Amino acid sequence: MEANGKAAPPLGYKDLTSQYNEARSNGHMSEDATLHQSNRKKEVQFKASQFLLIGVFFWVFILHAVGIFLFTRGFLLTRLVLDRKSECASPPIRNGLFKSPGTVHDGCWHPKSFDKAVVIIIDALRYDFTVPFSGEPHHFHNALTILDETARQSPENAFLLPFIADPPTTTLQRLKGLTTGTLPTFIDAGSNFAGTAIEEDNLIGQLRDAGKTLVHLGDDTWHALFPGYFDSNLTHAYDSFNVWDLYTVDNGVTEHLLPLLKPESKGNWDVIFGHYLGVDHAGHRYGPDHPTTNVKLREMDEVIRKIMTELDDDTLLVIMGDHGMDVKGDHGGESDDEVEAALWMYSKRGIFGRGHNGLMAPPMTAKERPVGQIDLVPTLSLLLGMPIPFNNLGAPISEAFVGPGKPDWQNLASVNALAAAQIDKYQQEYAHARNLDDSVFDSARRLWEVGMQNVKYGTTQSEDSFEKFQNFQRENLRICRSLWARFDIPSMLAGITILASGVLVLAFYAISPRPANTELAPVYLAQMTMFGLGGAVATSIIGFMVSVDSWKNAGLVGLAMGGIAGFARASINISQAFSIPFPRSVWGWLAVIFTLSQSIGYASNSFTIWEDEILLCFLSTFAVLAFTSSVRQEYIIERVLGMFQAGFFLILTRLGSFSRLCREEQMPYCRSTYYASTTSSTSAPWQLIVPLLSATFLPSVIKKYYEGTRSYQGSAKLWIGFALRISLLLSSIFWILDAADDNDWLQLSESTLQTTKITLARLILGAALFVGTTAYIMATPCISIEVTSNNNSADTTTSTTTAPRSVKVYGYANVHGTRYFLLFTAWLAALSLLQKPMGSGALSILTLQILALLEILDTNALSQSAIGPIVLGLLGSFHFFKTGHQATLSSIQWESAFIPLRTITYPFSPLLVVLNSFGAQILTTVAVPLTALWKQPPKKPRLLSDVARALATLLLYYAVINLATTMWAGWLRRHLMLYRIFSPRFMTGAAVLLVVDLVGIFVGLGSLRWNFGSVAEVFGWS
């Protein structure tokens, strides 16, 4: 009490500390040196234990990374690239029937038809964008009409055909196929952000070696593949990944292309490659069925008409798409919409024809008369008088060589014989390089020999010869696909073995009943490091002695296996504490059932397709069981609280399930709600309310959880009540501005809107990640201390203060959990910005589910159970789908790389895509320490060990999922759905595991020092 009898105001713990120091300096309190030294010692022990635990978990990350690398190396197909190059003076056939001119001027292997060419790639030009549609049209119908119009009216001047891409349908991989004539391998998809220069023989290289002046305009991916090939004075490259920008690239290409076609400029170039991106970017941003897509297609129609006007008779014009797009504008997979592009060739001279099949009009669908994209390479090579690249597997396109009017079978047979001969030459070289038996290509060779025999009898047999060469090319493609589908089984098995060993390490560490994981960390870390480094050195030396090129892979195997051996050795040394790590409760077995049943299910393509629904079932089951368990609690308060939180968790789970992005295989039994429609890539206006609701209600609900333990004190008021709410509100404003930009709601220039959005995004990310992390480091515990003194506590004579009668600490019951949760909200604020409006709502629901889960764990005394981290893992996987993602390449939201950026910026652009793709898993990983910290006493013994066990359990869940998807992908490597379902799911599982490993180590474990240190300032170290 004060002298007037009023209660003393509440004191912060720093005020109490100040009084303590003042009293000590006045001699009224003696310093307890022993206690001070003990606290100091415990602080040093904690920091050392934390550092050692990070080292142990980093070893687990190494095991995962090496295992994934080795399996991927053997699983994702690669082919042997031969460094041979075709030469103008060395045609593949040398006899009297083929009189090759042998010069670049006249044609190397076949008389050339054109001196110059303009090759235009309209990115994502799907075939049905180019043909007339008579029904109720979509926005992409009847906008680009010039291609079908000329091919239909003047078949001798132009032809239009479906142009089928080989998956993966990403731009970089398609450009490789379009210039080399070879089949892509799936591993190439990972390099779509940064290409690697093409070193094998290709059309661009042949043109450059022939002294041709090459010009490139547009997508800068070409310069990653062909560095230094293009004339630097005439070439203009533009950033290719900014899908928000629909005009810069296209306007730049047109601006520089049309002047080059003028008569006074035609002597400055031989071949122009123009790559337009506007149609592709409109698809990514809005979807194909959007007015903007219609505008871009009409723009391309106008540009093509202008180009045609400027052409002369000796210049070939080629218009093509490198791939298509799915119903919402994405690509990368192998669906029909993604692989069905369009190809159109035009010449004023009129040398094309349809006589070989008599079908004069273009096909109405992409299923009729399609040609492969690899067929472009031999076609352009022969039309321009170049050698066919050595590794080419395509066949000349018949319409380009059959001639107008009566079909020229002899010319068709001649060009196909040249292409077939080059393929036969390639077969022989490839078989020799791979040490393959000659019989591998027997079926194709027989067709080749029959075709050559028919050619010898003259023109009367040319039609039959042409058909035999066509059959030869198709058979050769079949054989090559089977050869390149040969997996490196030893490498795959090595990877699986290491991943399985990593699972055992985590299981032993997470489920073992030993309470002192932190005390054993030095033993594990020392043994794993010693054996791992020793194994790496030994196997590297052995690998170098066996093969100079294999020492790196051998070293990685030795590193991983040595680490595993070190862990086993350490476990044997402490075997007195060893026991079989089987669950000891119903909840423990439930965690095992959830994990294993999900893992087994990945053997089924139907399970993988409907994984989001399976996870909904698992989470609902947990909620029902938690409700049942809460009913049986002894105390009514815990009973009511547990029942409420379980019911709340179930309602939130069902509410979260309404956000959905359907994959192609789920149609028509699934309806997408993540975007405005199934065919859109933008949010509907009503969806903009979702982030506003999150900003309005989420901080208030979090406040209620804090108030349950009187923890809404100090830092919590500032960060949750103000900073979090403002960050979420600014995120909602960002997406409103984005929608305004998409729909032209505001009379502002696009550059002004873009600058405003980028500035706002950077402000939010900076406040959340940098200011938020700094605030977390410096924050005081979310407590308030109230000191009640005796009536005589104030001595007016001596001005001294007597000892307090009682001290009340508000927030004591959850001092660790509420303070650590501040870090969680900082990550929530950042990740919410990087999600679309529905994704932001999904993360808000996830946050409330995590809080409900923590209360369920507390009321049911499950803080030491594996069920908490496992349910967090299920929540992360569930909300991966609810934030608009699927285990498919086409669902990657590439536009997230440009939320705070104007152009591709490494490493931030890929990092932003990772944060967008795996935001839910990242958030649950940041939350995993809460399962051990929530509502625990400040000085609870071995609390760091409990956090380490919880993290190990979560990583174990993701490691088992990754091991299962890896094993099933390997086992089902010949399955029809391998590259559509099983391989993308394996890659998703691998990426998620590596991400949660790093987040768990450096955020989950790494941030505990400041949380424990802040609490210890008040209550001392445990």
Side-chain angles (χ1 to χ4, degrees):
M1 292 287 193
E2 296 180 357
N4 59 8
K6 294 182 180 180
L11 297 174
Y13 82 90
K14 288 191 178 293
D15 297 323
L16 188 64
T17 302
S18 176
Q19 287 190 7
Y20 171 87
N21 292 331
E22 181 183 355
R24 186 179 64 188
S25 65
N26 292 332
H28 294 285
M29 185 178 296
S30 61
E31 180 179 5
D32 190 341
T34 304
L35 179 60
H36 177 75
Q37 292 176 359
S38 175
N39 264 323
R40 179 58 183 164
K41 180 180 178 180
K42 290 177 180 178
E43 179 183 1
V44 173
Q45 288 176 342
F46 173 86
K47 292 180 178 180
S49 298
Q50 182 199 30
F51 177 79
L52 294 170
L53 277 174
I54 289 175
V56 172
F57 278 99
F58 193 75
W59 259 108
V60 173
F61 167 76
I62 290 174
L63 296 181
H64 292 158
V66 173
I68 290 169
F69 169 77
L70 291 174
F71 180 84
T72 302
R73 182 174 173 271
F75 174 71
L76 294 184
L77 305 180
T78 58
R79 59 183 173 85
L80 176 65
V81 175
L82 302 180
D83 57 7
R84 289 282 306 276
K85 293 189 176 183
S86 297
E87 297 178 2
C88 184
S90 302
I93 303 177
R94 288 184 177 275
N95 58 45
L97 295 175
F98 298 93
K99 300 180 175 60
S100 301
T103 64
V104 173
H105 183 268
D106 298 318
C108 290
W109 297 355
H110 183 270
K112 70 176 181 180
S113 302
F114 299 97
D115 294 324
K116 297 177 181 291
V118 178
V119 181
I120 301 296
I121 297 92
I122 301 178
D123 209 289
L125 181 63
R126 207 168 71 191
Y127 185 73
D128 58 341
F129 293 179
T130 65
V131 292
F133 185 79
S134 57
E136 183 177 351
H138 296 282
H139 288 292
F140 53 80
H141 283 135
N142 303 329
L144 178 56
T145 59
I146 184 62
L147 308 185
D148 180 84
E149 178 184 306
T150 52
R152 192 177 298 273
Q153 297 175 0
S154 304
E156 72 282 359
N157 296 107
F159 63 85
L160 173 65
L161 293 172
F163 199 39
I164 307 303
D166 293 291
T169 50
T170 49
T171 295
L172 185 143
Q173 287 68 45
R174 290 293 75 244
L175 292 182
K176 289 183 177 180
L178 289 168
T179 55
T180 63
T182 57
L183 299 175
T185 50
F186 203 89
I187 196 170
D188 285 342
S191 59
N192 199 43
F193 252 118
T196 302
I198 295 179
E199 297 181 355
E200 63 183 305
D201 197 8
N202 61 83
L203 176 60
I204 312 299
Q206 289 287 349
L207 289 168
R208 184 193 63 171
D209 293 344
K212 303 294 184 181
T213 300
L214 308 181
V215 176
H216 167 258
L217 305 170
D219 186 344
D220 61 355
T221 304
W222 288 77
H223 291 265
L225 299 176
F226 307 104
Y229 281 54
F230 302 105
D231 186 284
S232 58
N233 295 321
L234 301 177
T235 293
H236 299 274
Y238 300 88
D239 181 20
S240 60
F241 273 94
N242 189 355
V243 297
W244 300 78
D245 187 350
L246 309 184
Y247 303 102
T248 300
V249 178
D250 289 6
N251 292 343
V253 174
T254 303
E255 176 188 353
H256 294 99
L257 173 62
L258 294 179
L260 289 175
L261 301 180
K262 299 295 182 181
E264 61 271 18
S265 299
K266 288 185 178 179
N268 298 332
W269 57 271
D270 293 299
V271 181
I272 299 175
F273 296 92
H275 195 144
Y276 286 89
L277 293 173
V279 173
D280 177 69
H281 288 184
H284 282 299
R285 186 169 176 177
Y286 303 106
D289 194 15
H290 190 274
T292 305
T293 304
N294 182 278
V295 170
K296 294 304 298 182
L297 288 171
R298 291 185 182 278
E299 177 188 331
M300 292 297 98
D301 186 86
E302 181 181 351
V303 168
I304 294 170
R305 293 177 188 272
K306 291 180 179 179
I307 295 173
M308 292 170 61
T309 303
E310 301 292 342
L311 287 184
D312 58 26
D313 290 350
D314 293 325
T315 302
L316 170 69
L317 175 60
V318 181
I319 307 291
M320 61 180 169
D322 55 343
H323 50 73
M325 62 174 72
D326 64 15
V327 292
K328 61 184 190 63
D330 295 323
H331 56 89
E334 56 179 324
S335 67
D336 287 347
D337 283 343
E338 292 171 274
V339 302
E340 292 173 350
L343 171 68
W344 179 79
M345 287 192 180
Y346 172 80
S347 167
K348 284 189 173 180
R349 198 189 312 158
I351 65 169
F352 303 137
R354 311 284 195 283
H356 63 295
N357 56 33
L359 301 173
M360 306 304 289
M364 291 306 298
T365 70
K367 306 300 180 186
E368 306 170 45
R369 311 194 324 260
V371 296
Q373 290 195 353
I374 59 174
D375 295 341
L376 179 70
V377 171
T379 303
L380 285 183
S381 296
L382 296 176
L383 288 174
L384 296 174
M386 292 292 106
I388 298 174
F390 189 83
N391 294 330
N392 165 72
L393 298 175
I397 297 172
S398 300
E399 282 79 356
F401 298 97
V402 69
K406 184 178 179 181
D408 188 346
W409 293 113
Q410 186 174 17
N411 192 43
L412 271 182
S414 174
V415 296
N416 277 274
L418 285 167
Q422 177 55 50
I423 293 173
D424 181 68
K425 190 175 181 180
Y426 169 78
Q427 286 178 343
Q428 297 177 37
E429 292 284 344
Y430 190 88
H432 176 74
R434 281 292 195 188
N435 296 318
L436 300 176
D437 190 89
D438 291 340
S439 61
V440 171
F441 293 103
D442 275 356
S443 58
R445 183 169 290 278
R446 282 194 292 270
L447 293 169
W448 155 254
E449 291 173 349
V450 172
M452 289 303 297
Q453 287 295 326
N454 290 341
V455 168
K456 292 180 179 180
Y457 291 103
T459 58
T460 57
Q461 300 293 325
S462 295
E463 181 178 357
D464 185 60
S465 177
F466 160 70
E467 293 176 356
K468 290 297 186 294
F469 289 135
Q470 291 267 299
N471 293 335
F472 162 79
Q473 189 261 351
R474 286 190 285 267
E475 176 65 10
N476 180 73
L477 274 181
R478 183 194 66 79
I479 295 172
C480 288
R481 284 193 170 100
S482 67
L483 286 175
W484 295 335
R486 293 186 178 182
F487 302 88
D488 186 349
I489 302 300
S491 182
M492 293 168 60
L493 290 176
I496 290 174
T497 301
I498 293 171
L499 289 174
S501 300
V503 166
L504 293 177
V505 169
L506 282 172
F508 191 82
Y509 201 76
I511 308 176
S512 173
R514 294 191 308 275
N517 284 328
T518 54
E519 297 174 9
L520 298 177
V523 181
Y524 287 125
L525 183 58
Q527 295 290 323
M528 295 177 78
T529 302
M530 181 177 64
F531 278 78
L533 294 179
V537 172
T539 53
S540 295
I541 294 174
I542 295 173
F544 185 81
M545 295 172 62
V546 173
S547 173
V548 175
D549 297 329
S550 64
W551 69 272
K552 292 181 181 179
N553 293 331
L556 288 176
V557 174
L559 178 69
M561 298 308 294
I564 295 166
F567 186 89
R569 173 68 180 274
S571 301
I572 293 173
N573 290 342
I574 54 176
S575 58
Q576 65 272 14
F578 172 77
S579 62
I580 299 176
F582 282 120
R584 297 188 174 186
S585 68
V586 173
W587 290 106
W589 280 110
L590 183 64
V592 172
I593 291 172
F594 280 158
T595 305
L596 293 184
S597 58
Q598 188 178 358
S599 302
I600 294 171
Y602 289 122
S604 165
N605 58 335
S606 298
F607 179 97
T608 307
I609 290 170
W610 293 98
E611 185 179 356
D612 54 340
E613 297 297 319
I614 305 298
L615 291 168
L616 173 64
C617 177
F618 284 174
L619 291 171
S620 300
T621 300
F622 167 76
V624 171
L625 292 177
F627 186 91
T628 305
S629 176
S630 299
V631 171
R632 302 172 59 188
Q633 295 300 310
E634 179 180 357
Y635 300 103
I636 188 169
I637 295 179
E638 293 183 348
R639 191 183 312 154
V640 173
L641 181 61
M643 292 166 60
F644 173 80
Q645 296 296 341
F648 188 44
F649 185 94
L650 180 60
I651 293 171
L652 290 170
T653 301
R654 298 301 304 182
L655 184 62
S657 68
F658 288 108
S659 176
R660 179 181 302 154
L661 177 69
C662 302
R663 58 187 293 162
E664 181 189 10
E665 295 85 358
Q666 292 177 322
M667 307 302 288
Y669 308 106
C670 177
R671 181 173 177 270
S672 293
T673 59
Y674 190 77
Y675 295 108
S677 68
T678 303
T679 60
S680 175
S681 292
T682 59
S683 299
W686 70 265
Q687 292 174 331
L688 300 176
I689 301 174
V690 174
L692 285 172
L693 292 175
S694 296
T696 303
F697 295 107
L698 181 61
S700 300
V701 178
I702 295 174
K703 176 183 176 182
K704 291 296 182 183
Y705 278 93
Y706 270 64
E707 288 178 339
T709 55
R710 307 289 292 273
S711 299
Y712 196 67
Q713 313 285 344
S715 304
K717 292 182 179 180
L718 176 63
W719 186 255
I720 296 173
F722 177 75
L724 176 62
R725 191 185 302 275
I726 294 300
S727 294
L728 294 177
L729 180 61
L730 291 177
S731 294
S732 64
I733 293 174
F734 173 89
W735 288 109
I736 291 173
L737 290 175
D738 182 71
D741 189 13
D742 291 343
N743 298 282
D744 296 325
W745 292 343
L746 301 176
Q747 300 301 316
L748 294 174
S749 66
E750 184 175 357
S751 61
T752 302
L753 273 176
Q754 189 73 0
T755 300
T756 304
K757 289 194 301 178
I758 290 176
T759 302
L760 191 60
R762 291 177 179 177
L763 177 65
I764 297 168
L765 290 176
L769 293 179
F770 297 103
V771 178
T773 302
T774 303
Y776 166 78
I777 292 172
M778 302 178 64
T780 60
C782 301
I783 61 174
S784 178
I785 301 175
E786 182 180 298
V787 181
T788 304
S789 304
N790 292 326
N791 290 334
N792 299 325
S793 59
D795 189 335
T796 58
T797 303
T798 61
S799 299
T800 59
T801 305
T802 62
R805 182 168 58 86
S806 63
V807 178
K808 293 181 180 179
V809 182
Y810 298 108
Y812 176 90
N814 197 12
V815 63
H816 278 294
T818 52
R819 191 194 183 284
Y820 181 84
F821 194 80
L822 298 178
L823 179 65
F824 176 90
T825 58
W827 279 86
L828 170 65
L831 294 172
S832 294
L833 170 70
L834 299 178
Q835 305 295 332
K836 297 290 180 71
M838 289 295 287
S840 174
L843 293 188
S844 297
I845 291 174
L846 171 60
T847 300
L848 298 179
Q849 285 180 292
I850 290 172
L851 288 168
L853 171 64
L854 296 174
E855 293 294 339
I856 292 171
L857 297 179
D858 176 63
T859 55
N860 291 274
L862 295 174
S863 63
Q864 300 292 316
S865 173
I867 192 63
I870 295 300
V871 172
L872 279 179
L874 293 173
L875 284 171
S877 299
F878 177 69
H879 285 280
F880 168 78
F881 297 103
K882 302 302 113 181
T883 52
H885 300 96
Q886 287 282 351
T888 59
L889 290 173
S890 60
S891 71
I892 298 175
Q893 297 172 22
W894 298 108
E895 63 271 23
S896 60
F898 300 96
I899 289 177
L901 301 171
R902 293 186 184 275
T903 60
I904 288 288
T905 306
Y906 293 97
F908 299 108
S909 296
L911 181 60
L912 289 167
V913 175
V914 169
L915 292 175
N916 168 272
S917 300
F918 308 122
Q921 290 97 330
I922 291 171
L923 212 52
T924 53
T925 305
V926 173
V928 74
L930 290 167
T931 61
L933 299 176
W934 197 255
K935 291 188 176 181
Q936 298 301 318
K939 299 184 69 172
K940 180 184 177 182
R942 308 190 190 284
L943 195 54
L944 182 59
S945 292
D946 294 341
V947 174
R949 189 190 303 276
L951 176 60
T953 304
L954 179 73
L955 298 184
L956 176 62
Y957 166 79
Y958 284 116
V960 171
I961 297 301
N962 175 64
L963 176 63
T965 55
T966 301
M967 293 177 63
W968 290 126
W971 181 258
L972 300 170
R973 60 190 181 276
R974 302 294 181 185
H975 196 282
L976 180 64
M977 294 292 178
L978 174 65
Y979 291 119
R980 178 170 288 199
I981 295 176
F982 297 110
S983 183
R985 188 60 188 87
F986 147 68
M987 291 191 292
T988 301
V992 168
L993 178 60
L994 296 179
V995 169
V996 299
D997 274 347
L998 293 174
V999 173
I1001 293 169
F1002 295 109
V1003 180
L1005 274 182
S1007 64
L1008 293 178
R1009 171 176 300 188
W1010 296 284
N1011 201 78
F1012 278 68
S1014 176
V1015 173
E1017 278 192 54
V1018 184
F1019 301 101
W1021 291 91
S1022 60

